[in-house]
Amino acid sequence: IEDLSSRLEEAGSNTATQVELNKKREAELARLKGELEELNIAHEGTLAALRMKHNNTMADLGEQIDNLNGNKVKAEKDKAGLERDLADARSGLEDAVKGKAELDKQGKLLQGSIV
């Protein structure tokens, strides 16, 4: 009986030790769960901030692209106008050179007929 009694006491103390260890483990697990939850909340906040920053940057870049495309169209129109002006000026120059040549020719004919 004493042997059984000592075994029962030993088993009881082992059970108490196990219960105490389980309580410590559960407390540690609860602490870790709390930390994990806090880290997840912080991570979600950081992620939301980064997404907002990304969206703002993309909107700014979109506006810059639109502005650049508008400036490109304007520059192409200006270039086409300048090319037309250049063609008109060249045409006018050719006409002037031909007119001068014709006047020089008539001037020489008149000089020849006067002499």
Side-chain angles (χ1 to χ4, degrees):
I1 292 181
E2 286 181 25
D3 188 36
L4 285 174
S5 177
S6 68
R7 279 194 209 163
L8 183 60
E9 283 180 31
E10 188 177 314
S13 68
N14 284 343
T15 303
T17 304
Q18 286 297 325
V19 167
E20 199 61 37
L21 283 174
N22 285 344
K23 284 182 183 179
K24 286 180 181 178
R25 287 183 182 152
E26 286 175 7
E28 180 68 12
L29 181 61
R31 185 186 66 78
L32 290 173
K33 281 183 180 179
E35 285 182 18
L36 179 62
E37 186 64 28
E38 287 177 17
L39 290 172
N40 281 339
I41 290 170
H43 177 269
E44 288 173 5
T46 302
L47 184 62
L50 288 174
R51 280 188 180 146
M52 184 180 295
K53 184 177 178 182
H54 170 74
N55 290 338
N56 291 340
T57 301
M58 292 305 291
D60 289 345
L61 290 175
E63 288 176 18
Q64 288 179 11
I65 288 171
D66 291 343
N67 289 337
L68 288 172
N69 285 335
N71 290 339
K72 179 182 175 186
V73 168
K74 184 178 181 279
E76 287 173 350
K77 285 181 184 177
D78 291 346
K79 179 183 172 186
L82 290 172
E83 286 175 345
R84 280 192 304 274
D85 291 348
L86 179 60
D88 291 345
R90 284 184 177 161
S91 175
L93 180 61
E94 286 178 19
D95 291 345
V97 168
K98 287 179 185 176
K100 181 182 179 286
E102 184 64 31
L103 289 174
D104 286 346
K105 181 181 171 184
Q106 287 178 2
K108 287 181 183 180
L109 289 175
L110 284 173
Q111 269 185 344
S113 66
I114 292 178
V115 174

